[in-house]
Amino acid sequence: MQKTRTHLAIIAMVASMGLLAACSKGEDTKPAASSAPSSEAPAPSPTPSTTPPTPAPSSGSIDKAKESVKDAASSVADKAGQLKDSAAEKAGQMGDAIKKGAADANQAIQDKVGNGATPPAPTPSK
């Protein structure tokens, strides 16, 4: 149970990091400048924010996060491979059980009908 929670937490972390990366890329793009001169007055400058800017994360923490994501992805890939192997093994066992059941059923049917051989004719009594 603990492993399942850990894996789900790691998957959620990877998904949120991907979402943050996607959002970050969207903010970096600037609108293209228009080639036609604008007759309107320039837009007023935005009012300063009351919240102080947050410091950028250090490259060390980014590297650690990247390494953590790589480790998580590796762990998920290993588990997926193990599950695939386990599923293939179980499928093989099921196939063998089906073959054995079919052979047993066939044998029972053949025993009831006498393997297709005609029984010997009764001898007339005198």
Side-chain angles (χ1 to χ4, degrees):
M1 188 69 166
Q2 182 65 25
K3 286 183 179 180
T4 302
R5 285 188 217 153
T6 303
H7 290 294
L8 289 176
I10 290 171
I11 291 170
M13 182 183 70
V14 169
S16 65
M17 294 290 277
L19 181 61
L20 287 173
C23 291
S24 141
K25 288 179 184 174
E27 291 176 3
D28 292 344
T29 59
K30 295 180 181 179
S34 170
S35 60
S38 175
S39 61
E40 298 177 10
S45 63
T47 58
S49 172
T50 57
T51 58
T54 56
S58 67
S59 64
S61 65
I62 291 174
D63 291 339
K64 287 180 185 177
K66 285 180 181 179
E67 195 64 35
S68 175
V69 169
K70 286 179 185 178
D71 291 344
S74 175
S75 175
V76 169
D78 290 344
K79 276 294 182 187
Q82 290 173 359
L83 288 173
K84 182 189 92 157
D85 294 342
S86 176
E89 182 180 337
K90 287 294 179 186
Q93 290 173 354
M94 286 176 46
D96 293 343
I98 291 170
K99 288 177 188 176
K100 183 181 181 320
D104 291 346
N106 184 38
Q107 185 62 40
I109 291 169
Q110 294 303 322
D111 289 344
K112 290 288 183 188
V113 296
N115 283 333
T118 56
T123 59
S125 53
K126 292 189 180 183

XYZ file of all heavy atoms in Angstrom:
860
model
N 0.825 -1.184 0.000
C 0.000 0.000 0.000
C 0.873 1.254 0.000
O 0.580 2.202 -0.682
C -0.914 -0.053 1.225
C -1.938 1.017 1.238
S -3.118 0.715 -0.062
C -4.392 1.798 0.386
N 1.942 1.219 0.793
C 2.835 2.369 0.870
C 3.507 2.618 -0.478
O 3.668 3.763 -0.888
C 3.884 2.144 1.966
C 4.825 3.319 2.157
C 4.118 4.575 2.659
O 3.080 4.486 3.289
N 4.659 5.734 2.347
N 3.896 1.531 -1.179
C 4.543 1.700 -2.481
C 3.578 2.342 -3.468
O 3.969 3.175 -4.271
C 5.013 0.350 -3.019
C 6.234 -0.181 -2.325
C 6.683 -1.469 -2.967
C 7.925 -2.007 -2.294
N 8.378 -3.243 -2.908
N 2.306 1.944 -3.420
C 1.313 2.495 -4.331
C 1.161 3.991 -4.097
O 1.127 4.767 -5.049
C -0.037 1.791 -4.132
O 0.145 0.398 -4.350
C -1.069 2.319 -5.109
N 1.085 4.391 -2.837
C 0.964 5.822 -2.538
C 2.192 6.579 -3.017
O 2.074 7.675 -3.553
C 0.797 6.030 -1.030
C -0.557 5.684 -0.538
C -0.697 6.109 0.910
N -1.484 5.110 1.589
C -1.422 4.843 2.860
N -0.599 5.498 3.635
N -2.176 3.917 3.395
N 3.357 5.993 -2.812
C 4.587 6.647 -3.238
C 4.602 6.816 -4.746
O 4.940 7.889 -5.256
C 5.810 5.821 -2.790
O 5.755 5.657 -1.378
C 7.102 6.504 -3.179
N 4.224 5.777 -5.471
C 4.217 5.857 -6.934
C 3.203 6.897 -7.414
O 3.489 7.668 -8.332
C 3.921 4.498 -7.558
C 5.028 3.511 -7.391
N 6.257 3.668 -7.975
C 5.100 2.371 -6.690
C 7.039 2.668 -7.646
N 6.359 1.861 -6.849
N 2.039 6.907 -6.792
C 1.033 7.893 -7.197
C 1.513 9.309 -6.889
O 1.285 10.229 -7.675
C -0.298 7.616 -6.500
C -1.032 6.372 -6.979
C -2.281 6.141 -6.145
C -1.397 6.489 -8.440
N 2.183 9.486 -5.770
C 2.711 10.805 -5.425
C 3.761 11.248 -6.439
O 3.795 12.411 -6.850
C 3.289 10.789 -4.018
N 4.606 10.319 -6.843
C 5.651 10.646 -7.823
C 5.033 10.981 -9.169
O 5.427 11.944 -9.826
C 6.659 9.487 -7.940
C 7.484 9.395 -6.654
C 7.570 9.667 -9.144
C 8.358 8.181 -6.568
N 4.037 10.215 -9.574
C 3.371 10.483 -10.852
C 2.694 11.846 -10.813
O 2.765 12.616 -11.771
C 2.371 9.356 -11.176
C 3.132 8.067 -11.490
C 1.461 9.744 -12.338
C 2.261 6.844 -11.588
N 2.052 12.162 -9.679
C 1.412 13.476 -9.548
C 2.451 14.587 -9.605
O 2.218 15.645 -10.218
C 0.627 13.546 -8.246
N 3.606 14.361 -8.982
C 4.656 15.359 -8.993
C 5.171 15.575 -10.421
O 5.353 16.710 -10.860
C 5.821 14.932 -8.090
C 6.935 15.964 -8.022
S 8.343 15.443 -7.055
C 9.021 14.164 -8.095
N 5.367 14.496 -11.158
C 5.848 14.609 -12.541
C 4.829 15.362 -13.387
O 5.190 16.237 -14.183
C 6.138 13.205 -13.123
C 6.381 13.272 -14.611
C 7.324 12.583 -12.412
N 3.553 15.046 -13.193
C 2.511 15.729 -13.967
C 2.466 17.212 -13.636
O 2.345 18.059 -14.534
C 1.157 15.078 -13.695
N 2.581 17.558 -12.355
C 2.537 18.975 -11.985
C 3.769 19.715 -12.492
O 3.670 20.876 -12.907
C 2.392 19.131 -10.474
O 3.523 18.627 -9.822
N 4.940 19.040 -12.476
C 6.145 19.685 -13.011
C 5.971 19.944 -14.515
O 6.387 20.982 -15.022
C 7.375 18.810 -12.765
C 7.732 18.636 -11.303
S 8.355 20.114 -10.563
C 10.044 20.000 -11.087
N 5.366 19.003 -15.213
C 5.122 19.194 -16.643
C 4.166 20.346 -16.899
O 4.359 21.147 -17.820
N 3.134 20.449 -16.054
C 2.172 21.538 -16.192
C 2.849 22.880 -15.912
O 2.636 23.855 -16.633
C 0.996 21.325 -15.238
C -0.115 22.363 -15.283
C -0.743 22.393 -16.666
C -1.162 22.056 -14.234
N 3.664 22.924 -14.869
C 4.386 24.160 -14.568
C 5.323 24.547 -15.708
O 5.434 25.726 -16.055
C 5.175 24.003 -13.269
C 4.346 24.001 -11.987
C 5.240 23.662 -10.805
C 3.673 25.334 -11.791
N 5.985 23.564 -16.286
C 6.893 23.850 -17.398
C 6.113 24.381 -18.593
O 6.549 25.322 -19.256
C 7.667 22.598 -17.776
N 4.950 23.797 -18.865
C 4.143 24.249 -19.996
C 3.644 25.672 -19.762
O 3.648 26.508 -20.663
C 2.971 23.297 -20.213
N 3.217 25.965 -18.547
C 2.737 27.321 -18.240
C 3.871 28.328 -18.312
O 3.693 29.444 -18.767
C 2.101 27.345 -16.848
S 0.561 26.436 -16.755
N 5.029 27.957 -17.873
C 6.174 28.849 -17.880
C 6.558 29.211 -19.307
O 6.894 30.342 -19.605
C 7.325 28.193 -17.146
O 8.538 28.428 -17.759
N 6.487 28.260 -20.211
C 6.833 28.534 -21.608
C 5.835 29.505 -22.223
O 6.177 30.333 -23.038
C 6.865 27.243 -22.413
C 8.048 26.368 -22.088
C 8.013 25.089 -22.886
C 9.158 24.187 -22.470
N 9.084 22.890 -23.110
N 4.560 29.398 -21.839
C 3.521 30.278 -22.374
C 3.729 31.720 -21.963
O 3.430 32.640 -22.708
N 4.243 31.987 -20.769
C 4.447 33.345 -20.304
C 5.667 33.990 -20.956
O 5.774 35.206 -21.009
C 4.623 33.354 -18.785
C 3.360 32.997 -18.053
C 3.582 32.922 -16.550
O 4.700 33.194 -16.092
O 2.626 32.581 -15.852
N 6.596 33.200 -21.433
C 7.821 33.736 -22.003
C 7.609 34.359 -23.381
O 8.398 35.193 -23.803
C 8.890 32.652 -22.106
C 9.377 32.217 -20.737
O 9.117 32.942 -19.763
O 10.006 31.152 -20.656
N 6.574 33.972 -24.077
C 6.367 34.485 -25.426
C 5.754 35.875 -25.356
O 4.906 36.161 -24.522
C 5.452 33.564 -26.238
O 4.198 33.454 -25.569
C 6.072 32.190 -26.393
N 6.184 36.747 -26.254
C 5.659 38.111 -26.316
C 4.854 38.250 -27.601
O 5.172 37.617 -28.605
C 6.804 39.114 -26.302
C 7.590 39.094 -25.012
C 8.709 40.104 -25.029
C 9.493 40.033 -23.731
N 10.606 40.962 -23.706
N 3.808 39.063 -27.584
C 3.027 39.232 -28.812
C 3.869 39.916 -29.886
O 4.730 40.748 -29.592
C 1.849 40.109 -28.379
C 2.262 40.743 -27.097
C 3.276 39.832 -26.478
N 3.624 39.540 -31.114
C 4.372 40.111 -32.228
C 4.001 41.577 -32.389
O 2.841 41.966 -32.235
C 4.063 39.345 -33.502
N 4.981 42.391 -32.691
C 4.735 43.825 -32.882
C 4.041 44.035 -34.218
O 4.368 43.400 -35.213
C 6.053 44.584 -32.834
N 3.102 44.932 -34.213
C 2.356 45.235 -35.431
C 3.227 46.082 -36.350
O 3.926 46.997 -35.909
C 1.077 45.979 -35.055
O 0.451 46.480 -36.199
N 3.168 45.823 -37.661
C 3.985 46.593 -38.600
C 3.341 47.937 -38.908
O 4.008 48.882 -39.295
C 4.211 45.793 -39.881
O 2.973 45.508 -40.480
N 2.029 48.043 -38.734
C 1.349 49.311 -38.995
C 1.465 50.200 -37.753
O 1.313 49.732 -36.640
C -0.120 49.059 -39.311
N 1.748 51.476 -37.939
C 1.843 52.358 -36.778
C 0.486 52.520 -36.119
O -0.534 52.594 -36.771
C 2.347 53.683 -37.351
C 2.082 53.627 -38.803
C 2.022 52.180 -39.186
N 0.496 52.595 -34.831
C -0.735 52.705 -34.075
C -1.067 54.164 -33.852
O -0.211 54.962 -33.476
C -0.572 51.995 -32.732
O -1.710 52.196 -31.942
N -2.337 54.534 -34.086
C -2.747 55.919 -33.870
C -3.236 56.112 -32.438
O -3.523 57.218 -32.045
C -3.844 56.289 -34.871
O -4.960 55.449 -34.653
N -3.351 55.054 -31.703
C -3.819 55.163 -30.330
C -2.661 55.548 -29.417
O -1.497 55.340 -29.728
C -4.402 53.828 -29.869
C -5.602 53.394 -30.666
C -6.108 52.039 -30.221
O -5.645 51.527 -29.188
O -6.958 51.484 -30.900
N -3.019 56.058 -28.258
C -2.010 56.413 -27.268
C -1.445 55.141 -26.676
O -2.124 54.121 -26.601
C -2.646 57.269 -26.176
N -0.190 55.173 -26.236
C 0.382 53.962 -25.648
C -0.376 53.578 -24.377
O -0.917 54.418 -23.676
C 1.822 54.346 -25.335
C 1.863 55.827 -25.357
C 0.734 56.281 -26.230
N -0.394 52.306 -24.117
C -1.103 51.794 -22.951
C -0.405 52.272 -21.695
O 0.820 52.392 -21.651
C -1.124 50.271 -22.983
N -1.184 52.579 -20.654
C -0.550 53.029 -19.420
C 0.268 51.908 -18.810
O -0.043 50.731 -18.960
C -1.734 53.414 -18.523
C -2.896 52.677 -19.080
C -2.624 52.516 -20.551
N 1.307 52.289 -18.106
C 2.159 51.275 -17.489
C 1.400 50.614 -16.344
O 0.603 51.260 -15.673
C 3.456 51.901 -16.988
O 3.154 52.849 -15.986
N 1.634 49.334 -16.123
C 0.895 48.648 -15.060
C 1.318 49.181 -13.687
O 2.443 49.630 -13.492
C 1.293 47.186 -15.227
C 2.565 47.212 -15.987
C 2.535 48.466 -16.819
N 0.375 49.132 -12.774
C 0.681 49.591 -11.423
C 1.586 48.577 -10.757
O 1.479 47.378 -10.994
C -0.614 49.740 -10.597
O -1.271 48.485 -10.575
C -1.528 50.781 -11.189
N 2.484 49.037 -9.900
C 3.401 48.102 -9.251
C 2.646 47.156 -8.330
O 1.665 47.518 -7.700
C 4.361 48.990 -8.466
C 3.747 50.343 -8.446
C 2.739 50.409 -9.540
N 3.135 45.964 -8.266
C 2.515 44.927 -7.445
C 2.873 45.150 -5.983
O 3.966 45.618 -5.660
C 3.013 43.558 -7.903
O 2.570 42.566 -7.026
N 1.945 44.806 -5.090
C 2.216 44.966 -3.665
C 2.968 43.773 -3.102
O 3.489 43.837 -2.007
C 0.902 45.141 -2.883
O 0.072 44.013 -3.138
C 0.195 46.415 -3.299
N 3.016 42.663 -3.854
C 3.742 41.492 -3.376
C 5.158 41.544 -3.914
O 5.380 41.890 -5.078
C 3.072 40.185 -3.846
O 3.016 40.181 -5.258
C 1.673 40.050 -3.269
N 6.127 41.232 -3.078
C 7.515 41.257 -3.564
C 7.747 40.109 -4.539
O 7.121 39.056 -4.438
C 8.345 41.067 -2.292
C 7.425 40.391 -1.337
C 6.038 40.852 -1.694
N 8.613 40.300 -5.500
C 8.879 39.223 -6.466
C 9.541 38.041 -5.751
O 10.335 38.209 -4.834
C 9.827 39.852 -7.481
C 10.425 41.022 -6.778
C 9.415 41.479 -5.755
N 9.174 36.861 -6.189
C 9.761 35.662 -5.601
C 11.099 35.399 -6.260
O 11.245 35.579 -7.476
C 8.851 34.438 -5.795
O 8.600 34.277 -7.179
C 7.534 34.623 -5.063
N 12.072 34.991 -5.488
C 13.386 34.726 -6.084
C 13.333 33.494 -6.977
O 12.574 32.566 -6.734
C 14.297 34.494 -4.872
C 13.371 34.092 -3.781
C 12.060 34.767 -4.062
N 14.116 33.534 -8.020
C 14.182 32.394 -8.941
C 14.847 31.218 -8.229
O 15.753 31.399 -7.425
C 14.984 32.777 -10.181
N 14.386 30.006 -8.498
C 15.010 28.850 -7.861
C 16.453 28.702 -8.335
O 16.784 29.017 -9.470
C 14.158 27.668 -8.314
C 13.359 28.152 -9.455
C 13.308 29.640 -9.372
N 17.282 28.239 -7.453
C 18.686 28.081 -7.804
C 18.853 26.907 -8.762
O 18.027 26.013 -8.822
C 19.518 27.855 -6.546
O 19.183 26.610 -5.977
N 19.935 26.939 -9.496
C 20.168 25.870 -10.469
C 20.380 24.537 -9.762
O 20.078 23.490 -10.311
C 21.361 26.203 -11.352
O 22.543 26.255 -10.577
N 20.884 24.581 -8.526
C 21.066 23.344 -7.771
C 19.741 22.668 -7.476
O 19.603 21.456 -7.604
N 18.725 23.460 -7.088
C 17.424 22.858 -6.798
C 16.745 22.385 -8.076
O 16.030 21.388 -8.075
C 16.531 23.841 -6.042
O 16.216 24.959 -6.849
N 16.986 23.087 -9.176
C 16.420 22.653 -10.458
C 17.059 21.338 -10.882
O 16.370 20.417 -11.342
C 16.621 23.745 -11.535
C 15.745 24.954 -11.209
C 16.290 23.203 -12.917
C 15.966 26.142 -12.122
N 18.374 21.238 -10.712
C 19.060 19.995 -11.063
C 18.562 18.839 -10.194
O 18.369 17.727 -10.692
C 20.573 20.151 -10.912
C 21.174 21.093 -11.952
O 20.523 21.300 -13.000
O 22.282 21.603 -11.704
N 18.360 19.121 -8.913
C 17.835 18.076 -8.022
C 16.444 17.648 -8.454
O 16.115 16.467 -8.451
C 17.804 18.563 -6.575
C 19.157 18.649 -5.929
C 19.051 19.132 -4.500
C 20.414 19.333 -3.866
N 20.310 19.866 -2.495
N 15.608 18.614 -8.829
C 14.253 18.300 -9.276
C 14.290 17.478 -10.561
O 13.544 16.509 -10.710
C 13.453 19.583 -9.489
N 15.176 17.861 -11.485
C 15.296 17.112 -12.738
C 15.750 15.682 -12.464
O 15.243 14.734 -13.045
C 16.290 17.785 -13.687
C 15.760 19.029 -14.339
C 16.798 19.636 -15.268
C 16.314 20.909 -15.917
N 17.326 21.488 -16.797
N 16.709 15.529 -11.554
C 17.208 14.203 -11.199
C 16.106 13.374 -10.546
O 15.957 12.186 -10.816
C 18.418 14.331 -10.271
C 19.216 13.069 -10.121
C 19.857 12.613 -11.428
O 20.261 13.456 -12.244
O 19.937 11.390 -11.634
N 15.313 14.029 -9.698
C 14.203 13.350 -9.041
C 13.175 12.873 -10.062
O 12.653 11.756 -9.961
C 13.546 14.285 -8.029
O 12.413 13.698 -7.465
N 12.898 13.716 -11.039
C 11.946 13.344 -12.089
C 12.497 12.181 -12.908
O 11.760 11.241 -13.240
C 11.630 14.565 -12.983
C 10.876 14.153 -14.230
C 10.847 15.601 -12.197
N 13.795 12.213 -13.213
C 14.396 11.112 -13.972
C 14.322 9.806 -13.176
O 14.021 8.751 -13.727
C 15.851 11.427 -14.311
C 16.022 12.450 -15.407
C 17.490 12.725 -15.675
C 17.670 13.835 -16.683
N 19.080 14.147 -16.922
N 14.611 9.897 -11.862
C 14.529 8.707 -11.016
C 13.097 8.169 -10.968
O 12.865 6.962 -11.033
C 15.009 9.017 -9.591
C 16.504 9.277 -9.529
O 17.218 8.924 -10.491
O 16.950 9.844 -8.507
N 12.136 9.074 -10.866
C 10.730 8.665 -10.828
C 10.329 7.995 -12.138
O 9.656 6.965 -12.138
C 9.837 9.869 -10.551
N 10.744 8.574 -13.245
C 10.413 7.996 -14.550
C 11.057 6.619 -14.699
O 10.433 5.690 -15.216
C 10.878 8.923 -15.666
N 12.283 6.489 -14.224
C 12.956 5.193 -14.285
C 12.222 4.166 -13.433
O 12.030 3.019 -13.850
C 14.393 5.346 -13.818
O 15.028 4.091 -13.757
N 11.802 4.573 -12.257
C 11.071 3.677 -11.359
C 9.748 3.244 -11.980
O 9.373 2.065 -11.921
C 10.820 4.374 -10.024
O 10.025 3.574 -9.188
N 9.046 4.189 -12.580
C 7.769 3.872 -13.230
C 8.000 2.916 -14.399
O 7.245 1.953 -14.591
C 7.061 5.164 -13.693
C 5.880 4.862 -14.592
C 6.598 5.967 -12.479
N 9.051 3.142 -15.173
C 9.346 2.265 -16.306
C 9.691 0.857 -15.826
O 9.256 -0.135 -16.430
C 10.500 2.837 -17.127
N 10.457 0.761 -14.731
C 10.792 -0.561 -14.184
C 9.541 -1.299 -13.737
O 9.365 -2.487 -14.006
C 11.765 -0.426 -13.007
C 13.152 0.024 -13.438
O 13.458 -0.066 -14.647
O 13.918 0.473 -12.554
N 8.654 -0.597 -13.023
C 7.411 -1.217 -12.549
C 6.556 -1.661 -13.727
O 5.945 -2.720 -13.698
C 6.621 -0.247 -11.666
C 7.057 -0.241 -10.245
C 6.756 -1.567 -9.605
C 7.142 -1.543 -8.157
N 7.032 -2.831 -7.520
N 6.493 -0.841 -14.770
C 5.697 -1.198 -15.947
C 6.250 -2.461 -16.600
O 5.494 -3.339 -17.013
C 5.676 -0.044 -16.945
N 7.568 -2.567 -16.671
C 8.186 -3.775 -17.231
C 7.880 -5.001 -16.392
O 7.583 -6.072 -16.918
N 7.931 -4.840 -15.064
C 7.621 -5.959 -14.171
C 6.164 -6.383 -14.327
O 5.849 -7.582 -14.364
C 7.898 -5.580 -12.713
C 9.360 -5.424 -12.392
C 9.586 -4.879 -10.985
O 8.642 -4.602 -10.257
N 10.849 -4.721 -10.617
N 5.263 -5.409 -14.428
C 3.843 -5.733 -14.603
C 3.597 -6.436 -15.928
O 2.799 -7.371 -16.009
C 3.000 -4.463 -14.509
C 2.856 -3.861 -13.119
C 2.135 -2.521 -13.192
C 2.119 -4.806 -12.196
N 4.297 -5.993 -16.970
C 4.147 -6.622 -18.285
C 4.607 -8.078 -18.230
O 3.922 -8.977 -18.729
C 4.951 -5.858 -19.332
C 4.811 -6.422 -20.745
C 5.782 -5.768 -21.688
C 6.956 -6.583 -21.695
N 7.960 -6.844 -22.441
N 5.756 -8.315 -17.598
C 6.272 -9.676 -17.479
C 5.342 -10.550 -16.654
O 5.068 -11.707 -17.007
C 7.671 -9.666 -16.854
C 8.707 -8.993 -17.732
O 8.445 -8.834 -18.951
O 9.765 -8.621 -17.204
N 4.823 -10.001 -15.573
C 3.905 -10.746 -14.714
C 2.617 -11.085 -15.469
O 2.109 -12.204 -15.368
C 3.578 -9.925 -13.468
O 2.624 -10.585 -12.679
N 2.099 -10.134 -16.228
C 0.878 -10.372 -16.994
C 1.109 -11.439 -18.059
O 0.253 -12.298 -18.283
C 0.400 -9.073 -17.634
N 2.268 -11.409 -18.705
C 2.569 -12.417 -19.724
C 2.675 -13.802 -19.097
O 2.187 -14.795 -19.658
C 3.871 -12.060 -20.435
N 3.292 -13.875 -17.916
C 3.416 -15.162 -17.220
C 2.040 -15.696 -16.822
O 1.740 -16.881 -17.028
C 4.288 -14.994 -15.977
C 4.510 -16.288 -15.218
C 5.378 -16.092 -13.978
O 6.153 -15.122 -13.925
O 5.261 -16.930 -13.084
N 1.182 -14.834 -16.288
C -0.166 -15.259 -15.885
C -0.973 -15.683 -17.109
O -1.732 -16.650 -17.050
C -0.892 -14.136 -15.142
C -0.383 -13.896 -13.757
C -0.651 -15.079 -12.868
C -0.119 -14.830 -11.479
N -0.232 -15.976 -10.612
N -0.831 -14.986 -18.207
C -1.553 -15.356 -19.427
C -1.102 -16.735 -19.910
O -1.917 -17.547 -20.352
C -1.334 -14.303 -20.516
N 0.198 -17.011 -19.820
C 0.710 -18.331 -20.202
C 0.155 -19.423 -19.295
O -0.222 -20.508 -19.768
N 0.101 -19.138 -17.986
C -0.454 -20.113 -17.042
C -1.934 -20.366 -17.330
O -2.402 -21.507 -17.279
C -0.279 -19.629 -15.607
C 1.154 -19.632 -15.126
C 1.311 -18.985 -13.762
O 0.374 -18.435 -13.196
N 2.529 -19.051 -13.218
N -2.662 -19.314 -17.658
C -4.085 -19.475 -17.992
C -4.241 -20.304 -19.260
O -5.116 -21.166 -19.353
C -4.753 -18.114 -18.159
C -4.996 -17.398 -16.849
S -5.674 -15.734 -17.009
C -6.961 -15.908 -18.197
N -3.395 -20.046 -20.256
C -3.454 -20.818 -21.497
C -3.178 -22.295 -21.253
O -3.865 -23.170 -21.800
N -2.180 -22.586 -20.400
C -1.877 -23.981 -20.066
C -3.044 -24.642 -19.340
O -3.377 -25.803 -19.598
C -0.613 -24.059 -19.203
C 0.644 -23.650 -19.967
O 0.603 -23.626 -21.222
O 1.657 -23.348 -19.292
N -3.676 -23.902 -18.418
C -4.818 -24.447 -17.681
C -5.991 -24.727 -18.625
O -6.678 -25.747 -18.495
C -5.241 -23.485 -16.577
N -6.198 -23.846 -19.592
C -7.276 -24.053 -20.572
C -6.981 -25.281 -21.426
O -7.868 -26.105 -21.680
C -7.467 -22.795 -21.444
C -8.053 -21.668 -20.600
C -8.347 -23.088 -22.651
C -8.065 -20.321 -21.281
N -5.729 -25.421 -21.852
C -5.358 -26.596 -22.652
C -5.568 -27.883 -21.862
O -6.083 -28.868 -22.393
C -3.892 -26.500 -23.089
C -3.632 -25.467 -24.157
C -2.145 -25.392 -24.470
C -1.834 -24.245 -25.398
N -0.391 -24.098 -25.625
N -5.171 -27.881 -20.586
C -5.326 -29.068 -19.755
C -6.810 -29.384 -19.557
O -7.238 -30.531 -19.652
C -4.652 -28.874 -18.399
C -4.708 -30.116 -17.514
C -4.047 -29.860 -16.184
C -4.034 -31.043 -15.264
N -5.217 -31.860 -15.211
N -7.606 -28.346 -19.294
C -9.054 -28.546 -19.123
C -9.698 -29.093 -20.388
O -10.558 -29.978 -20.335
N -9.290 -28.576 -21.542
C -9.843 -29.060 -22.808
C -9.439 -30.510 -23.056
O -10.247 -31.323 -23.526
C -9.368 -28.170 -23.952
N -8.178 -30.850 -22.731
C -7.720 -32.230 -22.914
C -8.478 -33.172 -21.988
O -8.873 -34.279 -22.398
C -6.219 -32.328 -22.662
N -8.693 -32.750 -20.727
C -9.459 -33.580 -19.786
C -10.898 -33.772 -20.260
O -11.451 -34.882 -20.189
C -9.443 -32.959 -18.387
C -8.073 -33.022 -17.735
O -7.196 -33.765 -18.232
O -7.875 -32.304 -16.723
N -11.514 -32.707 -20.747
C -12.886 -32.804 -21.244
C -12.948 -33.714 -22.465
O -13.864 -34.545 -22.596
C -13.416 -31.414 -21.586
N -11.979 -33.576 -23.354
C -11.939 -34.426 -24.540
C -11.793 -35.893 -24.136
O -12.466 -36.763 -24.699
C -10.788 -34.000 -25.453
C -10.771 -34.778 -26.744
O -11.817 -35.089 -27.307
N -9.571 -35.093 -27.221
N -10.922 -36.163 -23.171
C -10.722 -37.543 -22.712
C -12.005 -38.112 -22.110
O -12.369 -39.261 -22.367
C -9.585 -37.600 -21.686
C -9.235 -39.000 -21.242
C -8.748 -39.879 -22.387
O -8.006 -39.423 -23.245
N -9.189 -41.121 -22.416
N -12.711 -37.296 -21.328
C -13.962 -37.752 -20.720
C -15.010 -38.063 -21.791
O -15.724 -39.068 -21.706
C -14.488 -36.705 -19.749
N -15.074 -37.220 -22.801
C -16.029 -37.451 -23.889
C -15.655 -38.727 -24.640
O -16.518 -39.564 -24.947
C -16.066 -36.240 -24.844
C -16.692 -35.032 -24.143
C -16.819 -36.567 -26.130
C -16.542 -33.728 -24.891
N -14.374 -38.872 -24.929
C -13.931 -40.057 -25.659
C -14.200 -41.329 -24.851
O -14.561 -42.367 -25.417
C -12.439 -39.951 -26.010
C -12.111 -38.837 -26.984
C -12.866 -38.947 -28.298
O -13.075 -40.035 -28.824
N -13.304 -37.818 -28.822
N -14.033 -41.286 -23.528
C -14.318 -42.450 -22.689
C -15.797 -42.816 -22.742
O -16.158 -43.995 -22.739
C -13.889 -42.188 -21.241
C -12.377 -42.164 -21.084
O -11.662 -42.637 -22.005
O -11.909 -41.654 -20.041
N -16.663 -41.789 -22.790
C -18.114 -42.044 -22.826
C -18.551 -42.637 -24.155
O -19.423 -43.489 -24.196
C -18.892 -40.742 -22.579
C -18.787 -40.229 -21.183
C -19.583 -41.087 -20.252
C -19.545 -40.515 -18.850
N -20.124 -41.387 -17.883
N -17.970 -42.177 -25.251
C -18.402 -42.661 -26.566
C -17.547 -43.821 -27.052
O -17.795 -44.365 -28.111
C -18.425 -41.529 -27.612
C -19.430 -40.482 -27.260
C -17.062 -40.949 -27.836
N -16.531 -44.166 -26.337
C -15.719 -45.320 -26.702
C -14.685 -45.022 -27.757
O -14.361 -45.892 -28.564
N -14.164 -43.819 -27.823
C -13.119 -43.435 -28.766
C -13.514 -43.668 -30.213
O -12.675 -43.894 -31.069
C -11.805 -44.173 -28.471
C -11.078 -43.588 -27.279
O -11.236 -42.420 -26.981
N -10.295 -44.403 -26.610
N -14.783 -43.679 -30.496
C -15.222 -43.822 -31.872
C -15.190 -45.247 -32.393
O -15.553 -45.514 -33.524
N -14.742 -46.194 -31.605
C -14.705 -47.589 -32.041
C -16.083 -48.210 -31.811
O -16.758 -47.930 -30.839
C -13.649 -48.366 -31.274
N -16.455 -49.058 -32.721
C -17.752 -49.729 -32.554
C -17.586 -50.876 -31.583
O -16.583 -51.618 -31.618
C -18.267 -50.258 -33.903
O -17.286 -51.112 -34.464
C -18.579 -49.129 -34.853
N -18.529 -51.045 -30.694
C -18.409 -52.155 -29.734
C -18.562 -53.493 -30.462
O -19.198 -53.575 -31.517
C -19.531 -51.897 -28.758
C -20.511 -51.038 -29.466
C -19.722 -50.268 -30.495
N -17.974 -54.519 -29.933
C -18.117 -55.824 -30.580
C -19.579 -56.273 -30.573
O -20.338 -55.994 -29.648
C -17.250 -56.753 -29.758
C -17.031 -56.051 -28.456
C -17.212 -54.603 -28.721
N -19.939 -56.962 -31.626
C -21.329 -57.444 -31.751
C -21.567 -58.564 -30.739
O -20.702 -59.389 -30.513
C -21.588 -57.950 -33.165
N -22.729 -58.568 -30.125
C -23.017 -59.646 -29.179
C -23.114 -60.988 -29.881
O -23.595 -61.086 -31.011
C -24.333 -59.244 -28.536
C -24.922 -58.193 -29.402
C -23.815 -57.626 -30.232
N -22.652 -62.004 -29.249
C -22.737 -63.348 -29.838
C -24.092 -63.944 -29.526
O -24.598 -63.829 -28.402
C -21.611 -64.235 -29.262
O -21.750 -64.293 -27.877
C -20.254 -63.737 -29.666
N -24.707 -64.519 -30.515
C -26.043 -65.115 -30.277
C -25.913 -66.345 -29.380
O -24.997 -67.145 -29.502
C -26.548 -65.458 -31.630
C -25.370 -65.422 -32.557
C -24.306 -64.631 -31.884
N -26.794 -66.476 -28.462
C -26.761 -67.643 -27.599
C -27.689 -68.703 -28.141
O -28.752 -68.446 -28.634
C -27.137 -67.267 -26.174
O -28.346 -66.583 -26.166
N -27.327 -69.993 -28.032
C -28.084 -71.101 -28.586
C -28.810 -71.847 -27.575
O -28.702 -72.099 -26.521
C -27.156 -72.030 -29.330
C -26.634 -71.405 -30.535
C -25.922 -72.455 -31.302
C -25.353 -71.901 -32.540
N -24.742 -72.715 -33.376
